[in-house]
Amino acid sequence: MKHLIGIKDLSENEILSILELGETYREKLINDRNNIPQILKDKVIANLFFEPSTRTRMSFEIASSLLGAKVINFSENVSSIQKGETRLDTLKTIEAMKVDAVVIRSSISGLPYILARDLKDVSIINAGDGSHEHPSQALLDALTLKLKFGNLNRIKLSIVGDILFSRVARSNIILMKKLGNNNIMVFGPSTLIPREIETFGVKIAKSFEEVIEFSDVIMLLRIQTERQNSAYVPSTREYKKFWGLTEDKLRSINKDIFIMHPGPVNREVEISSNIIYCDNSLILDQVTSGVAVRMSILTHILSSTLKF
Amino acid sequence: MKHLIGIKDLSENEILSILELGETYREKLINDRNNIPQILKDKVIANLFFEPSTRTRMSFEIASSLLGAKVINFSENVSSIQKGETRLDTLKTIEAMKVDAVVIRSSISGLPYILARDLKDVSIINAGDGSHEHPSQALLDALTLKLKFGNLNRIKLSIVGDILFSRVARSNIILMKKLGNNNIMVFGPSTLIPREIETFGVKIAKSFEEVIEFSDVIMLLRIQTERQNSAYVPSTREYKKFWGLTEDKLRSINKDIFIMHPGPVNREVEISSNIIYCDNSLILDQVTSGVAVRMSILTHILSSTLKF
Amino acid sequence: MKHLIGIKDLSENEILSILELGETYREKLINDRNNIPQILKDKVIANLFFEPSTRTRMSFEIASSLLGAKVINFSENVSSIQKGETRLDTLKTIEAMKVDAVVIRSSISGLPYILARDLKDVSIINAGDGSHEHPSQALLDALTLKLKFGNLNRIKLSIVGDILFSRVARSNIILMKKLGNNNIMVFGPSTLIPREIETFGVKIAKSFEEVIEFSDVIMLLRIQTERQNSAYVPSTREYKKFWGLTEDKLRSINKDIFIMHPGPVNREVEISSNIIYCDNSLILDQVTSGVAVRMSILTHILSSTLKF
């Protein structure tokens, strides 16, 4: 693996290998911190976030640091972007500084592909590109589910929200299909559900009741007002009523349903406040798996000593 | 010690223990840099500054780095706060990333208490909360005074400025009382002096002459225009005349009076420019003690090998 | 060497010594990363950039990290500068934190001199001060040229653009003169060429043809709209036509001419897009040399074990 651009590019074996090492790192992260191997101690990793982010940037930064890498942050507002340089020029410059990997988030769908094509030495790690992919998110979600359910190919997973523009939904669906999981259901405002998704074997729910009945796990998506044409999006009040998860909806049926959300949560929109951290919520578990899976990703991409 | 929220929560022994180790670290910081033990090399520390800060953030960052910790910075303008996440959600996320300690500054008095109550693993270190407490500042001031005077319980200390809203004044007064020092005097615009302070044994001066006559040390506070109702505050010109320290006032009496200020200094307001770095100024000494005392605080909170 | 303020202060031997170690570090940076000596592992370096910068800040940060130093970033918009502190107060505070070196960029010509004069312990490294000097840029340019041409004193170098206000031009010309190179030519809008430069033995070209005929290397300068009186500067379209380098101009003569640019490039202004990364472009080579030369500068200033 030289880059991580999208789940689309990964084989089933590569996915499973990332999850396996991620599980090992998760254990060390929680219980055996001083036995994390400093395998990236000669590596330089640059974080380039062209969109605001807390969790993804911090998660990558912690993952990098714990493996001993030198981390350089780059944020738009104190940079040469102000001076009119193109993204490619910026990346070529960073490559020429002998940076080993760039973790990049951008609103431009496909930017990481273009960069990976035009750069020759530096590894590109996509931390979310427009409405295209967010591969490390899908991998951390998979690790979270694997730890909870043991295997991934029979979990009944519903994804609720903006399926059309969500890179999280996209990457998760591709990953699940790659692992042979055919139990994926989506639900959301009809303007935000791509009809052709059914041709990939993904079910489209007609009501939240159908979602509840079907699911082992409900993955709520964040309303991404910053990336959407507001014409597609209902008011937050309407959104909560029809597509938000509430305690009432959750208890309408007598079974254990687990809740996921990539964060940050819009309280009282996608989910009501009182169930964000309930016993069946995997939301914080996802965050912990995030650091571990990113340690695994970085190791797969940057460590020459790791053998497969 | 799991958290450092306020001086109010510390016992006399805890205060003395922090100062003692701070003194050891100060010596290493200045003269024996390569013998600083890397006792936090497996720890991750996040700096969350929701108010602008140079010295406190840098001081904590240097203290953390010198003990070998991984430091992650988080600043409001490139964060999920923009996306409507609550402070508690942000902190729970950071905790789930297995960050060991969060150094937090916020304009919300009491926020660190709430966070420490609702979080279970991560340590909270208060770097200033509204007009409530600034414990590491009081501890660095105490270390500065200890190094100059030997012991702390007989120093005649005046604090001049906004006593009502100042977390620096508050934490310093609480600390001095805990160590049995009953020689504290305050002085400032009458709107900014809480009358009930006398019931705690703190003297209220009526004139700067009284302050000069009384004091071994004068601690000047910064006018915090960013945190105050402007109705309380006189013009800066008036301020300097009545409550600012000038060379004339200082030389009106034939004795050595030492000067402190938490910084950053408003030149020609709280103090005239020509005496900021005079021989009796402890202002830069406070800064050096700040790094040392924060190394001690981090060690007390995060190092399992430190025994008391 | 305690500080690096300007090329003006360096002897020929100091320049050659920095370049020699820079060459060694360049080799390690590219091919032998795990043999970079951690000679700055007990040092704290603060980056203070009061002007936007990507490459210089990142380059210094990578150089510092690779030698093992602790790096603290300070950027204007989250700092005490907002609170009215003077630059000198900020620096005195940073010095009191026992920071070993400050890398500083500022729009104020001469600020590093003033700081170096008024501070006693901390080393000042000038990363560009107004239209005065940018010494690390001139040193990285010299290393780039040395690696390409073997020696520096006979290269025919043209500098094209704003000679009057450019710190890059200034530092490069001073360096070349110190090494005995008398083959320097400048070219640019007549309002931006200081006439008295001829008295220092620098030729002034009258046309781009003259530049092309003369040069082994053409160093293009960036239009610094942020630092100039717009009255001096022509439109970008005019600029490209008369002072920009295009493929046509480059191929008008049958010889190898190398291209340099300090970056970030204004595409289609100083240079046309299709030749930025052509075979004769040294632009990315400059970036790589930049990290190496800054490692050498930091070693010369901060390492006590380095002997000359």
Side-chain angles (χ1 to χ4, degrees):
Chain A
M1 271 178 71
K2 181 168 175 199
H3 304 290
L4 177 63
I5 308 296
I7 298 296
K8 197 166 69 67
D9 312 313
L10 297 181
S11 69
E12 187 182 350
N13 276 342
E14 284 173 320
I15 293 170
L16 294 174
S17 172
I18 291 170
L19 297 182
E20 196 186 328
L21 184 60
E23 199 173 334
T24 306
Y25 276 140
R26 199 182 194 276
E27 181 54 28
K28 285 185 194 292
L29 175 67
I30 298 172
N31 293 319
D32 198 15
R33 190 75 69 81
N34 58 1
N35 276 321
I36 296 175
Q38 299 297 289
I39 53 174
L40 303 185
K41 75 181 175 49
D42 302 317
K43 304 297 183 186
V44 178
I45 298 171
N47 284 323
L48 270 75
F49 279 73
F50 299 118
E51 290 186 323
S53 167
T54 303
R55 64 193 66 218
T56 307
R57 184 187 67 77
M58 284 187 74
S59 183
F60 268 112
E61 190 169 348
I62 292 170
S64 304
S65 296
L66 285 173
L67 294 167
K70 327 285 191 193
V71 184
I72 310 292
N73 284 303
F74 172 106
S75 73
E76 177 117 309
N77 56 337
V78 284
S79 81
S80 282
I81 300 295
Q82 286 182 6
K83 302 184 179 176
E85 200 182 37
T86 70
R87 290 279 188 270
L88 182 60
D89 290 335
T90 303
L91 265 289
K92 275 188 173 282
T93 300
I94 289 170
E95 180 178 62
M97 286 181 195
K98 301 301 163 191
V99 165
D100 298 286
V102 169
V103 177
I104 187 166
R105 166 167 292 188
S106 156
S107 61
I108 305 168
S109 302
L111 181 65
Y113 270 111
I114 294 166
L115 296 175
R117 188 195 63 196
D118 289 348
L119 298 166
K120 57 181 195 297
D121 294 330
V122 71
S123 291
I124 301 291
I125 298 172
N126 182 6
D129 62 325
S131 53
H132 178 242
E133 280 232 36
H134 191 350
S136 65
Q137 179 71 41
L139 288 161
L140 77 87
D141 290 335
L143 178 56
T144 307
L145 289 168
K146 188 172 174 241
L147 290 168
K148 182 57 74 182
F149 292 92
N151 68 51
L152 291 165
N153 55 350
R154 272 170 304 186
I155 301 166
K156 290 179 178 167
L157 173 67
S158 294
I159 307 178
V160 175
D162 166 6
I163 309 299
L164 188 59
F165 292 104
S166 169
R167 57 197 180 202
V168 175
R170 233 181 109 76
S171 291
N172 266 290
I173 291 169
I174 298 171
L175 187 147
M176 284 298 172
K177 302 301 289 181
K178 291 227 174 193
L179 297 192
N181 185 324
N182 289 307
N183 295 311
I184 310 296
M185 179 178 274
V186 298
F187 181 57
S190 61
T191 47
L192 298 172
I193 302 290
R195 286 294 136 190
E196 65 279 16
I197 203 170
E198 286 182 310
T199 65
F200 298 99
V202 173
K203 299 159 191 62
I204 300 179
K206 285 180 188 58
S207 68
F208 218 124
E209 287 72 41
E210 205 183 328
V211 171
I212 295 279
E213 225 162 286
F214 169 80
S215 307
D216 299 321
V217 183
I218 301 176
M219 181 184 291
L220 304 162
L221 300 177
R222 190 183 145 73
I223 300 197
Q224 298 280 5
T225 46
E226 62 272 32
R227 260 200 302 286
Q228 284 163 11
N229 186 325
S230 62
Y232 291 95
V233 190
S235 74
T236 56
R237 208 169 146 202
E238 259 188 304
Y239 190 96
K240 187 185 173 190
K241 186 170 169 198
F242 292 106
W243 304 283
L245 187 58
T246 60
E247 203 174 359
D248 282 356
K249 292 182 193 172
L250 203 57
R251 293 201 175 160
S252 64
I253 193 168
N254 186 20
K255 71 171 185 188
D256 262 345
I257 299 176
F258 292 92
I259 309 169
M260 298 176 84
H261 189 298
V265 168
N266 288 307
R267 282 168 169 259
E268 302 304 336
V269 184
E270 302 108 22
I271 186 168
S272 52
S273 284
N274 60 336
I275 56 171
I276 295 177
Y277 304 120
C278 70
D279 286 351
N280 279 5
S281 167
L282 302 175
I283 294 175
L284 295 176
D285 219 34
Q286 288 171 277
V287 176
T288 305
S289 292
V291 177
V293 110
R294 286 169 180 129
M295 291 169 75
S296 174
I297 291 167
L298 291 166
T299 302
H300 278 74
I301 287 177
L302 289 175
S303 170
S304 51
T305 59
L306 184 82
K307 296 280 173 276
F308 295 98
Chain B
M1 271 180 73
K2 179 166 176 202
H3 304 290
L4 177 64
I5 308 297
I7 297 295
K8 197 168 69 66
D9 312 313
L10 299 181
S11 68
E12 187 181 351
N13 276 342
E14 284 172 321
I15 292 169
L16 295 175
S17 173
I18 291 170
L19 297 182
E20 195 185 328
L21 183 60
E23 198 172 335
T24 306
Y25 277 141
R26 198 181 195 276
E27 181 54 28
K28 285 187 195 292
L29 176 68
I30 298 173
N31 293 319
D32 197 16
R33 191 75 69 81
N34 59 0
N35 276 320
I36 296 174
Q38 299 297 290
I39 52 174
L40 303 185
K41 76 183 172 47
D42 302 316
K43 304 297 183 185
V44 179
I45 298 171
N47 284 322
L48 271 74
F49 279 72
F50 298 118
E51 290 186 323
S53 165
T54 304
R55 65 194 63 218
T56 307
R57 186 188 65 77
M58 285 187 75
S59 184
F60 268 112
E61 191 169 348
I62 292 170
S64 303
S65 296
L66 285 173
L67 293 168
K70 327 283 190 196
V71 184
I72 310 292
N73 283 303
F74 172 106
S75 74
E76 175 116 314
N77 57 336
V78 286
S79 82
S80 282
I81 299 296
Q82 286 182 8
K83 302 184 179 175
E85 200 182 38
T86 69
R87 290 280 186 268
L88 183 61
D89 290 335
T90 303
L91 266 287
K92 274 188 173 286
T93 301
I94 289 170
E95 180 178 61
M97 288 182 194
K98 301 302 165 191
V99 165
D100 299 283
V102 169
V103 177
I104 187 167
R105 165 168 293 189
S106 155
S107 60
I108 304 167
S109 303
L111 181 64
Y113 270 111
I114 294 165
L115 296 174
R117 188 197 63 199
D118 290 350
L119 298 166
K120 59 180 192 296
D121 294 330
V122 70
S123 290
I124 302 290
I125 297 172
N126 181 8
D129 63 324
S131 54
H132 179 242
E133 280 232 36
H134 191 348
S136 65
Q137 179 71 42
L139 288 160
L140 76 87
D141 289 335
L143 177 56
T144 307
L145 289 169
K146 187 171 175 243
L147 290 169
K148 182 56 77 180
F149 293 92
N151 69 53
L152 291 163
N153 56 349
R154 270 169 304 184
I155 300 165
K156 290 178 178 169
L157 173 67
S158 294
I159 306 178
V160 175
D162 166 5
I163 308 299
L164 188 59
F165 293 103
S166 170
R167 58 197 180 201
V168 174
R170 235 182 108 76
S171 290
N172 266 291
I173 291 168
I174 298 170
L175 187 147
M176 285 298 172
K177 301 302 290 182
K178 291 228 174 192
L179 298 191
N181 184 326
N182 288 307
N183 295 309
I184 310 296
M185 179 179 273
V186 298
F187 181 58
S190 61
T191 48
L192 296 173
I193 301 290
R195 286 294 137 191
E196 66 276 19
I197 202 170
E198 286 183 311
T199 64
F200 297 99
V202 173
K203 298 160 192 63
I204 299 178
K206 285 179 189 61
S207 68
F208 218 125
E209 287 72 42
E210 205 183 328
V211 171
I212 295 278
E213 225 163 288
F214 169 79
S215 307
D216 298 320
V217 183
I218 300 176
M219 180 184 290
L220 303 163
L221 300 176
R222 190 183 145 73
I223 299 195
Q224 299 280 5
T225 47
E226 63 271 32
R227 260 200 303 284
Q228 284 163 13
N229 186 324
S230 61
Y232 291 95
V233 190
S235 74
T236 55
R237 204 168 149 202
E238 257 188 306
Y239 191 95
K240 187 184 173 192
K241 186 172 169 196
F242 292 107
W243 303 283
L245 187 59
T246 60
E247 202 175 359
D248 281 358
K249 290 183 192 171
L250 202 58
R251 293 200 175 161
S252 65
I253 193 168
N254 185 21
K255 71 172 182 184
D256 262 345
I257 299 176
F258 292 92
I259 309 169
M260 298 177 85
H261 189 297
V265 168
N266 288 306
R267 283 169 168 258
E268 303 303 336
V269 183
E270 301 108 23
I271 184 168
S272 50
S273 283
N274 62 333
I275 55 172
I276 294 176
Y277 304 122
C278 70
D279 287 351
N280 278 7
S281 168
L282 301 176
I283 294 175
L284 294 175
D285 218 36
Q286 286 171 277
V287 176
T288 305
S289 292
V291 176
V293 110
R294 286 168 181 129
M295 292 169 74
S296 174
I297 290 167
L298 291 165
T299 302
H300 277 75
I301 287 177
L302 290 175
S303 171
S304 52
T305 58
L306 185 82
K307 297 279 174 278
F308 297 98
Chain C
M1 271 178 75
K2 178 163 178 204
H3 305 291
L4 176 64
I5 308 295
I7 298 295
K8 197 167 70 67
D9 311 313
L10 298 180
S11 67
E12 187 181 349
N13 277 342
E14 284 172 321
I15 293 169
L16 294 174
S17 172
I18 291 170
L19 296 182
E20 196 186 327
L21 184 61
E23 200 173 334
T24 306
Y25 275 140
R26 198 180 194 279
E27 181 53 29
K28 284 184 195 292
L29 176 67
I30 299 172
N31 293 320
D32 197 15
R33 192 74 69 81
N34 60 0
N35 276 320
I36 296 174
Q38 299 298 291
I39 52 175
L40 303 186
K41 77 180 171 48
D42 302 317
K43 304 297 182 183
V44 178
I45 298 172
N47 283 323
L48 271 75
F49 278 73
F50 299 118
E51 290 187 322
S53 166
T54 304
R55 67 193 63 216
T56 306
R57 185 188 65 78
M58 285 186 74
S59 183
F60 268 111
E61 190 169 348
I62 292 170
S64 304
S65 296
L66 286 173
L67 294 167
K70 327 285 191 194
V71 184
I72 310 293
N73 284 303
F74 171 107
S75 72
E76 177 116 311
N77 57 336
V78 286
S79 80
S80 282
I81 299 296
Q82 286 182 8
K83 301 184 179 175
E85 200 181 37
T86 70
R87 291 279 188 271
L88 182 60
D89 290 335
T90 303
L91 266 289
K92 275 187 171 284
T93 300
I94 290 171
E95 180 177 61
M97 286 181 195
K98 302 299 162 192
V99 166
D100 299 284
V102 169
V103 177
I104 187 167
R105 166 168 292 190
S106 155
S107 60
I108 305 167
S109 302
L111 182 65
Y113 271 110
I114 294 166
L115 296 174
R117 188 195 63 197
D118 289 348
L119 299 166
K120 59 181 193 294
D121 294 331
V122 70
S123 290
I124 301 291
I125 297 172
N126 181 8
D129 62 323
S131 53
H132 178 242
E133 280 231 35
H134 192 348
S136 65
Q137 179 70 41
L139 288 161
L140 77 86
D141 290 334
L143 179 56
T144 306
L145 289 169
K146 186 170 176 243
L147 290 168
K148 182 55 77 182
F149 292 91
N151 68 52
L152 291 164
N153 54 351
R154 270 169 306 186
I155 301 165
K156 289 176 177 170
L157 172 67
S158 294
I159 307 177
V160 175
D162 167 5
I163 308 298
L164 188 59
F165 292 104
S166 169
R167 57 197 181 202
V168 175
R170 232 181 110 76
S171 290
N172 266 289
I173 291 169
I174 298 171
L175 187 148
M176 284 297 173
K177 301 302 289 182
K178 291 227 175 192
L179 297 191
N181 185 324
N182 289 307
N183 296 310
I184 310 297
M185 180 179 273
V186 297
F187 182 57
S190 61
T191 48
L192 297 172
I193 301 291
R195 285 294 136 190
E196 64 279 16
I197 203 172
E198 286 184 310
T199 64
F200 296 99
V202 173
K203 298 161 192 63
I204 300 178
K206 285 179 189 59
S207 67
F208 217 125
E209 288 73 41
E210 205 183 328
V211 170
I212 295 280
E213 225 163 287
F214 169 80
S215 306
D216 298 320
V217 183
I218 300 176
M219 179 183 290
L220 304 162
L221 300 176
R222 189 183 147 71
I223 299 196
Q224 299 278 6
T225 45
E226 63 270 33
R227 259 200 303 285
Q228 284 163 13
N229 186 326
S230 61
Y232 291 95
V233 190
S235 74
T236 57
R237 204 170 149 204
E238 257 189 306
Y239 190 96
K240 188 184 174 193
K241 185 171 169 199
F242 293 106
W243 304 282
L245 187 59
T246 61
E247 204 175 357
D248 282 355
K249 290 181 193 173
L250 202 58
R251 293 201 174 160
S252 63
I253 193 168
N254 184 22
K255 71 171 186 188
D256 262 347
I257 299 177
F258 291 92
I259 309 170
M260 299 177 83
H261 189 297
V265 168
N266 288 306
R267 283 167 168 260
E268 303 303 336
V269 184
E270 302 109 24
I271 185 168
S272 51
S273 284
N274 60 336
I275 54 170
I276 294 176
Y277 304 121
C278 69
D279 287 351
N280 279 6
S281 167
L282 301 175
I283 294 175
L284 294 175
D285 217 39
Q286 287 171 277
V287 175
T288 306
S289 292
V291 177
V293 109
R294 284 168 182 129
M295 291 170 75
S296 174
I297 291 167
L298 291 165
T299 303
H300 277 75
I301 288 177
L302 289 175
S303 171
S304 52
T305 59
L306 184 83
K307 295 281 173 277
F308 296 99

